[in-house]
């Protein structure tokens, strides 16, 4: 495998890249610019996306002490390092890099979801402290030994494992071996473990009574799977709704709005101050003109305004009203765009939920149809 940075210029994680990454997470450009001027404290950021940036070396992330989600996928990283300060990290994506050794993850004791997909790793190791690990993706690497997977038995909460694309998957006993050594595993290579193992067992049973009991259990498993998937989807909907109201989850967005409304209030204060000063200067100038004490030449159009006090006051007030109207219109425009964005997010979530429920129902129907076909064959025998 050739090194990608032979043809691509490597980048380093510096202050400029981090600032840009944080700003790009804002909902719209104008709010991002406001946040850029006021500044964002990195310790308040909980999610950071640094994918597709040709990063060669992990560095300068020590300020993100409250980070829970970090994307470093699709770069050219060779070594896992400089993550010790991210002790609150729950989700870490290092897929599509050039990593050869699993290391540097000891401090991430809260990590639940880890992706090392599509790297150059030949051994599963150095993960002992990650006892909260639930999802582990290490497909498309160089794992060759089935026995190495037994290392994962120590992770009691591991429920989802992806090994697809590794040489060890070519072993005929692959699925049965994994199921036997990781009995608590629910999903293997994006499929339900029972689907990989139980069907083979049932189809080869010679004892009718045992086969019938297994079919009954499989029916119960399908029903339980349906309930579990629907429950998980409802929990996802609830979590997304809570996140939509949570300050911690949307701190960057809320910060941008606070900055925005504060800035608009400052604009109005400046305009009011400007109006007061301009009115004071205009009245003083009028008094000087009336007393013939004003020596400067005035354009004819301007001199026409200094006929009397009412005329000049009306002119200055009219200018003030125009300026305030422009500020109001600008504020309304930005708020409208922000509301439109929020509405689209809500609509997208509704569509996502409907599609996911449809997928779950289709999957359960497919499993039930396979089971019905097996029962039909059993009756024919």
């Amino acid at each position: 495998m050739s090194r990608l940075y032979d043809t691509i210029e490597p980048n380093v994680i510096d202050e400029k890249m981090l600032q840009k990454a944080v700003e790009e997470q804002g909902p719209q450009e104008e709010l991002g610019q406001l946040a850029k001027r006021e500044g964002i404290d990195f310790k308040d950021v909980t999610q950071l996306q640094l994918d597709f940036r040709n990063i060669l070396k992990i560095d300068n992330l020590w300020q993100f002490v409250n980070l829970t989600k970090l994307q470093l996928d699709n770069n050219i990283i060779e070594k896992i390092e400089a993550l010790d300060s991210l002790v609150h990290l729950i989700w870490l994506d290092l897929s599509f890099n050039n990593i050869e050794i699993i290391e540097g993850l000891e401090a991430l004791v809260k990590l639940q979801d880890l992706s090392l997909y599509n790297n150059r790793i030949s051994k599963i190791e150095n993960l002992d402290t990650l006892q909260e690990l639930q999802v582990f993706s290490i497909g498309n690497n160089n794992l060759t030994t089935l026995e190495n997977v037994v290392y994962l038995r120590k992770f009691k909460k591991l429920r989802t494992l992806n090994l697809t694309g590794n040489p060890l998957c070519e072993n005929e006993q692959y699925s049965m071996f994994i199921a036997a050594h990781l009995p608590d595993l629910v999903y293997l290579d994006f499929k339900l473990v029972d689907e990989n193992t139980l069907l083979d067992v049932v189809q080869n049973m010679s004892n009718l009574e045992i086969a019938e009991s297994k079919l009954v259990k499989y029916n119960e498993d399908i029903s339980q799977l349906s309930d579990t998937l629907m429950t998980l989807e409802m929990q996802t909907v609830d979590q997304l709704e809570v996140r939509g109201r949570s300050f911690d989850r949307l701190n960057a967005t809320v910060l941008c709005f606070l900055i925005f409304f504060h800035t608009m209030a400052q604009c109005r204060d400046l305009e009011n101050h400007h109006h007061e000063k301009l009115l004071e200067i205009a009245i003083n100038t009028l008094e000087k003109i009336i007393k013939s004490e004003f020596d400067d030449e005035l354009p004819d159009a301007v001199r026409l305004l200094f006929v009397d006090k009412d005329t000049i006051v009306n002119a200055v007030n009219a200018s003030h009203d125009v300026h305030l109207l422009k500020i109001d219109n600008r504020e309304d425009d930005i708020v409208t765009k922000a509301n439109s964005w929020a509405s689209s997010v809500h609509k997208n979530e509704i569509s996502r939920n409907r599609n996911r429920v449809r997928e779950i129902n289709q999957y359960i129907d497919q499993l039930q149809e396979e089971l019905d076909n097996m029962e039909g064959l059993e009756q024919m025998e």
Side-chain angles (χ1 to χ4, degrees):
M1 187 180 297
S2 63
R3 296 182 183 274
L4 295 178
Y5 53 86
D6 286 345
T7 56
I8 298 176
E9 184 68 19
N11 284 332
V12 297
I13 303 177
D14 55 18
E15 188 78 7
K16 182 178 179 181
M17 179 186 292
L18 293 173
Q19 185 69 30
K20 181 179 180 183
V22 172
E23 291 166 7
E24 287 176 349
Q25 294 179 168
Q28 58 185 4
E29 182 179 354
E30 289 161 314
L31 296 182
Q33 291 300 319
L34 289 172
K36 180 178 180 180
R37 289 195 295 269
E38 296 292 332
I40 295 178
D41 195 337
F42 287 166
K43 74 174 186 296
D44 295 331
V45 177
T46 59
Q47 299 185 11
L48 187 61
Q49 187 171 339
L50 293 172
D51 53 345
F52 293 96
R53 297 174 191 265
N54 302 329
I55 296 170
L56 175 60
K57 179 181 174 66
I58 303 174
D59 202 358
N60 293 319
L61 296 178
W62 58 270
Q63 300 178 74
F64 296 83
V65 293
N66 291 310
L67 208 61
T68 60
K69 180 176 181 179
L70 175 60
Q71 285 184 243
L72 285 167
D73 56 287
N74 291 278
N75 287 294
I76 51 178
I77 297 169
E78 292 186 335
K79 183 178 181 180
I80 306 174
E81 57 186 344
L83 299 177
D84 291 346
S85 62
L86 309 184
V87 295
H88 296 290
L89 211 59
I90 294 175
W91 191 97
L92 175 61
D93 189 352
L94 284 164
S95 60
F96 293 94
N97 279 289
N98 296 326
I99 299 168
E100 296 183 356
I101 299 175
I102 301 177
E103 59 186 346
L105 299 173
E106 294 80 4
L108 310 185
V109 296
K110 294 185 179 181
L111 201 63
Q112 298 178 11
D113 191 321
L114 172 62
S115 178
L116 295 169
Y117 186 85
N118 205 94
N119 278 281
R120 305 175 180 179
I121 299 168
S122 57
K123 184 179 180 180
I124 303 174
E125 59 185 347
N126 300 324
L127 297 173
D128 296 28
T129 60
L130 309 187
Q131 291 301 309
E132 296 298 317
L133 194 63
Q134 300 177 19
V135 180
F136 184 35
S137 177
I138 192 170
N140 271 26
N141 276 277
N142 300 326
L143 302 177
T144 59
T145 308
L146 272 176
E147 285 71 19
N148 181 214
V149 182
V150 180
Y151 172 85
L152 297 175
R153 285 175 61 89
K154 64 183 64 181
F155 303 102
K156 305 304 181 183
K157 296 184 179 182
L158 185 64
R159 296 295 180 267
T160 299
L161 175 64
N162 175 28
L163 292 165
T164 183
N166 282 288
L168 58 79
C169 297
E170 298 174 5
N171 191 307
E172 294 180 356
Q173 302 299 318
Y174 164 69
S175 297
M176 296 297 293
F177 182 93
I178 301 299
H181 288 84
L182 301 175
D184 294 326
L185 206 61
V186 178
Y187 294 99
L188 173 63
D189 300 340
F190 311 110
K191 294 181 181 179
L192 196 69
V193 172
D194 284 349
E195 184 181 358
N196 295 324
T197 58
L198 188 57
L199 288 177
D200 291 337
V201 175
V202 173
Q203 288 174 350
N204 291 286
M205 280 184 176
S206 57
N207 188 305
L208 179 60
E209 182 178 351
I210 297 177
E212 288 179 350
S213 67
K214 291 295 184 181
L215 288 172
V216 170
K217 182 179 183 304
Y218 194 35
N219 222 330
E220 294 174 352
D221 289 341
I222 292 177
S223 178
Q224 182 178 358
L225 173 63
S226 177
D227 294 340
T228 300
L229 291 176
M230 287 299 184
T231 299
L232 288 173
E233 174 57 22
M234 292 303 298
Q235 290 175 350
T236 301
V237 172
D238 292 341
Q239 290 172 358
L240 290 175
E241 183 177 352
V242 170
R243 289 176 183 177
R245 301 191 303 263
S246 172
F247 177 83
D248 291 334
R249 297 285 181 174
L250 294 177
N251 56 347
T253 303
V254 173
L255 176 61
C256 288
F257 272 109
L258 291 175
I259 295 171
F260 163 66
F261 287 117
H262 177 68
T263 302
M264 299 308 293
Q266 286 183 323
C267 289
R268 291 189 177 89
D269 290 341
L270 290 173
E271 170 56 28
N272 290 332
H273 181 71
H274 170 74
H275 170 65
E276 293 174 0
K277 288 296 183 181
L278 182 60
L279 188 59
E280 179 182 344
I281 293 172
I283 293 175
N284 289 338
T285 301
L286 176 63
E287 292 176 353
K288 289 183 179 181
I289 291 175
I290 294 175
K291 297 178 181 179
S292 300
E293 296 177 355
F294 192 81
D295 299 329
D296 296 339
E297 287 292 332
L298 293 176
D300 293 340
V302 175
R303 187 173 291 276
L304 289 175
L305 296 176
F306 289 91
V307 177
D308 53 41
K309 185 175 181 179
D310 289 341
T311 301
I312 191 61
V313 168
N314 290 338
V316 173
N317 287 341
S319 174
H320 178 53
D321 291 340
V322 170
H323 291 165
L324 288 178
L325 181 61
K326 288 184 177 181
I327 295 173
D328 291 342
N329 289 340
R330 186 58 172 168
E331 181 180 35
D332 291 343
D333 181 56
I334 294 177
V335 171
T336 299
K337 289 180 179 178
N339 290 336
S340 176
W341 169 78
S343 176
S344 67
V345 170
H346 178 66
K347 291 179 180 179
N348 290 339
E349 168 53 21
I350 292 176
S351 177
R352 186 207 63 78
N353 174 246
R354 289 176 178 173
N355 291 335
R356 185 55 52 84
V357 171
R358 187 183 302 110
E359 289 174 0
I360 293 173
N361 287 331
Q362 290 174 348
Y363 180 60
I364 296 300
D365 289 343
Q366 179 183 349
L367 293 179
Q368 191 64 55
E369 183 179 352
E370 292 178 0
L371 182 60
D372 293 341
N373 290 337
M374 291 171 57
E375 290 178 332
L377 290 173
E378 197 66 40
Q379 290 174 1
M380 290 177 62
E381 294 178 358

